[in-house]
Amino acid sequence: MKYLNDDHINAIGIDWTKLIGMIETTVLTLAKGDYSQPIKPYLRFGDPSQRIIAMPAFVGGEIEMCGIKWIASYPYNWRKGLPRAHSTMILNDPSNGKPLAIIESSLLSGLRTAAVSGLVLQHYAAVRKLEYIRLGIVGWGPIGHLHASMSASVLGDKLSQIMLFDIKGIKPNTIDPLLRPKTEITNDWREAYRNSDIFATCTVSNKRYIDELPPTGMLLLNVSLRDYMASSVRDIGAILVDDWDEVCRENTDIEQLHLDHGLTREATFTLSDMVIANRMADYDVTESIFFNPMGLAAFDVAIAAYYLREADRLGIGVNL
């Protein structure tokens, strides 16, 4: 089987159009029922903030791949100079079970996360038809970086401003030189929140802190899932999830809205509703859209399958 790591993924390259297209293809495949994806278990021991998650899935159709992601999330690794996440994937041939690849790449996991956000961003931009779009990002780690890169690719010249905030501070030299002219480092999350059209939370916050109602018509990409106090989002009518059963647990903002304010599955819509039925267009342009992605193993398998096939085509990677 083949071994790939972050260096190999970077050598293949990041094409956001293709990656977002893979996510859309997976959404359509899931809507047809051509998949298998058990609820992912969380392994915890020692410090309860630390976890390792097993994410198995089969995706049929054009993707036709199965595998499992084993991802460790240690929020305080930064104090040791280590990445928060360590991710490993194993891909198997669905026809005979043969292991095809082992991929040691937290970058791959981040690319999946940002590509899913990219699909939502594409639909938001198409439906809302804003001439200029301002992006706010809280949390300037790897996921924040990838969201900035993805947004610049998807929005092009429509991206007029990027506002960044990180509680640990942000060094200007960590910002892509091509994005620096339109990027502002703010002193408070509120400044980015109040002045954005799209607002992405990419933090490892251990407590909710966003206590204000969102500006009218904003797209909230709640990537880190545990940043919003219920009072700030409980009246939003357009709540988008990747999978209700996955996201309504593990102390997410969706679970809090469910337990404390009676949010139900029926009051939300899914990525397949968005892609197939254009459900985002059903809401008035003044309505904010609150996206909560728990992260689906099917998307990880699809992105990994894309990179494995590209690695085979280009002769990249180590054959074991």
Side-chain angles (χ1 to χ4, degrees):
M1 62 181 179
K2 179 160 285 187
Y3 170 78
L4 300 173
N5 60 26
D6 281 350
D7 290 339
H8 299 124
I9 301 302
N10 277 316
I12 294 167
I14 300 170
D15 185 325
W16 289 113
T17 300
K18 289 182 179 179
L19 295 179
I20 293 170
M22 290 297 300
I23 298 299
E24 184 171 40
T25 297
T26 308
V27 170
L28 296 172
T29 305
L30 267 58
K32 294 175 182 176
D34 192 6
Y35 77 101
S36 178
Q37 182 178 251
I39 292 288
K40 53 192 180 187
Y42 283 58
L43 176 66
R44 286 191 170 90
F45 51 90
D47 184 341
S49 71
Q50 300 169 174
R51 58 192 184 270
I52 309 180
I53 310 169
M55 299 174 64
F58 160 75
V59 185
E62 296 177 26
I63 294 163
E64 195 64 24
M65 186 65 71
C66 59
I68 185 169
K69 181 168 80 167
W70 179 241
I71 181 163
S73 177
Y74 281 55
Y76 299 109
N77 264 2
W78 64 271
R79 294 173 178 170
K80 306 173 185 177
L82 295 172
R84 175 189 66 83
H86 295 275
S87 177
T88 302
M89 285 203 70
I90 297 175
L91 295 179
N92 298 75
D93 185 330
S95 68
N96 56 31
K98 178 184 176 181
L100 298 175
I102 182 166
I103 307 175
E104 182 191 4
S105 174
S106 296
L107 173 59
L108 199 70
S109 184
L111 291 173
R112 179 270 287 167
T113 302
V116 173
S117 293
L119 182 62
V120 175
L121 197 160
Q122 279 185 345
H123 280 259
Y124 173 82
V127 167
R128 295 298 166 92
K129 295 180 171 60
L130 299 177
E131 186 176 356
Y132 297 107
I133 295 178
R134 300 164 299 169
L135 170 68
I137 298 175
V138 173
W140 193 235
I143 301 299
H145 283 252
L146 290 170
H147 273 73
S149 171
M150 174 276 295
S151 298
S153 175
V154 170
L155 298 174
D157 293 338
K158 285 188 175 182
L159 181 60
S160 61
Q161 186 180 21
I162 303 172
M163 286 164 282
L164 306 177
F165 174 74
D166 192 296
I167 196 169
K168 300 192 294 290
I170 297 174
K171 296 178 181 179
N173 64 2
T174 63
I175 301 168
D176 186 329
L178 296 176
L179 299 181
R180 284 179 200 167
K182 60 178 68 177
T183 301
E184 175 186 350
I185 299 171
T186 66
N187 296 316
D188 190 277
W189 64 264
R190 293 175 179 83
E191 187 176 348
Y193 185 62
R194 294 169 181 170
N195 296 287
S196 297
D197 303 298
I198 300 168
F199 185 72
T201 51
C202 305
T203 75
V204 291
S205 179
N206 59 3
K207 63 180 180 179
R208 293 171 170 86
Y209 57 92
I210 298 177
D211 55 1
E212 297 183 8
L213 298 176
T216 299
M218 174 185 276
L219 172 61
L220 307 173
L221 298 172
N222 190 22
V223 178
S224 41
L225 294 169
R226 300 169 184 87
D227 294 66
Y228 289 86
M229 294 184 179
S231 58
S232 66
V233 291
R234 67 186 177 194
D235 295 324
I236 294 178
I239 298 181
L240 172 62
V241 299
D242 53 2
D243 183 283
W244 173 266
D245 293 323
E246 283 284 10
V247 79
C248 189
R249 62 192 187 111
E250 290 292 331
N251 190 35
T252 64
D253 294 336
I254 290 294
E255 185 184 36
Q256 292 305 302
L257 288 172
H258 172 65
L259 294 175
D260 298 340
H261 299 282
L263 180 70
T264 63
R265 181 197 303 266
E266 291 71 26
T268 67
F269 67 109
T270 65
L271 291 172
S272 60
D273 294 328
M274 180 189 75
V275 171
I276 297 170
N278 197 26
R279 279 286 306 280
M280 199 178 282
D282 292 347
Y283 298 94
D284 189 85
V285 294
T286 61
E287 180 76 74
S288 293
I289 297 169
F290 188 36
F291 178 45
N292 289 261
M294 191 65 153
L296 301 187
F299 295 145
D300 287 288
V301 167
I303 296 297
Y306 164 77
Y307 273 101
L308 173 59
R309 287 162 181 156
E310 283 295 285
D312 287 340
R313 182 178 70 85
L314 299 170
I316 291 174
V318 179
N319 292 318
L320 302 179

